[in-house]
Amino acid sequence: MNSDSTKIPQATAKRLPLYYRFIQNLHSSGKQRVSSAELSEAVKVDSATIRRDFSYFGALGKKGYGYNVSYLLSFFRKTLDQDEVTNVALIGVGNLGTAFLNYNFLKNNNTKIQLAFDIEESKVGTKIGEVPIHHMDELEDTLARLDVPVAILTIPQSAAQTITDRLVQSNIKGILNFTPARLNVPPEIRVHHIDLAIELQSLVYFLKNYPDESVEK
Ligand code: ATP
């Protein structure tokens, strides 16, 4: 995100891509305005939160009118830097990594996995979903030549910290960590952690223990 969005709280910032996707759909269907109630129903965030979120970026809805879709769209584009494609590197072309290489992230946002790395000789030099797979030995040299600010980690947990240290040295700014490892990074590097096993376990726990309560989505 660009620097003039720094005053937006992080919890709000995390919801922006969700809003953005929905607003894009509304815009392409020709809709010119949207109420916070409609938005709330579509993105499953309560309307008070939506109104508060939107107030941070100056989109003040009018009673009985709602929000102007074109204004929201241009705001989100600018704030999320969606005019430019962000290049991503994927490390570890196993089952999960392969699925990501086959998935077209460009469909929903402007990020593209440009290249992947693995240590497995049989994978190096091949392509999956048009993404070339390089050897880990080439990591530093290859990243030095390209503008790749983000890396996805789909390697075994045991390799995660060592590879993270190498990525930090290679000027990576953000890491999407799918390994169970908790990573140590300098404060200027951002790590988002998605542990699928824990998410699944937590979902099952909530189903069992809070079956009738409405939940935060
Ligand atoms: P997944 O966990 O995605 O289901 P998997 O079970 O197929 O994958 P893992 O052992 O988790 O395999 O390894 C994921 C991928 O990471 C494999 O392709 C493996 O070759 C690769 N890998 C393992 N160690 C390293 C490393 N140090 N650097 C880069 N890649 C590695």
Side-chain angles (χ1 to χ4, degrees), residues 12-216:
T12 299
K14 276 201 158 180
R15 286 188 285 271
L16 294 187
L18 189 67
Y19 297 143
Y20 179 58
R21 188 187 298 180
F22 180 67
I23 299 294
Q24 272 179 314
N25 292 342
L26 280 185
H27 191 254
S28 37
S29 69
K31 215 161 167 324
Q32 285 167 9
R33 60 193 194 182
V34 61
S35 68
S36 47
E38 281 173 284
L39 262 167
S40 170
E41 179 53 33
V43 299
K44 306 289 185 229
V45 171
D46 68 273
S47 48
T49 303
I50 292 182
R51 279 195 296 274
R52 200 182 54 238
D53 284 350
F54 282 24
S55 71
Y56 289 116
F57 43 82
L60 301 168
K62 289 189 209 108
K63 248 198 166 21
Y65 178 87
Y67 298 95
N68 181 298
V69 170
S70 300
Y71 173 83
L72 290 178
L73 191 71
S74 65
F75 170 82
F76 287 123
R77 255 202 206 122
K78 201 156 51 80
T79 307
L80 294 166
D81 284 338
Q82 294 287 317
D83 292 335
E84 249 174 64
V85 173
T86 301
N87 294 326
V88 177
L90 179 132
I91 324 289
V93 190
N95 290 311
L96 194 56
T98 301
F100 289 151
L101 295 185
N102 284 311
Y103 183 76
N104 180 8
F105 286 94
L106 272 173
K107 233 179 0 184
N108 288 314
N109 59 44
N110 259 3
T111 52
K112 188 170 193 312
I113 301 178
Q114 289 288 4
L115 72 173
F117 294 89
D118 206 291
I119 41 168
E120 178 72 45
E121 297 291 347
S122 63
K123 296 176 183 175
V124 171
T126 65
K127 282 185 177 182
I128 295 179
E130 314 220 319
V131 180
I133 303 168
H134 299 260
H135 197 281
M136 274 307 280
D137 292 349
E138 298 165 23
L139 184 84
E140 286 80 358
D141 285 351
T142 312
L143 291 181
R145 278 187 277 113
L146 303 166
D147 174 25
V148 182
V150 174
I152 296 177
L153 292 191
T154 44
I155 38 169
Q157 177 174 6
S158 55
Q161 186 61 55
T162 314
I163 290 174
T164 297
D165 295 343
R166 290 175 65 186
L167 290 169
V168 169
Q169 291 304 315
S170 303
N171 265 332
I172 288 283
K173 305 281 185 268
I175 295 174
L176 191 56
N177 174 24
F178 281 91
T179 82
R182 298 280 158 174
L183 302 173
N184 295 314
V185 290
E188 69 275 15
I189 308 292
R190 185 155 192 111
V191 177
H192 283 199
H193 189 203
I194 303 177
D195 187 325
L196 293 174
I198 285 195
E199 293 295 333
L200 198 54
Q201 209 174 17
S202 148
L203 175 63
V204 171
Y205 176 85
F206 275 96
L207 289 179
K208 279 195 186 136
N209 292 283
Y210 305 88
D212 302 320
E213 287 178 35
S214 73
V215 289
E216 191 192 324

Side-chain angles (χ1 to χ4, degrees), residues 5-14 56:
S5 62
T6 44
K7 58 188 178 307
I8 296 174
Q10 295 200 10
T12 299
K14 276 201 158 180
Y56 289 116

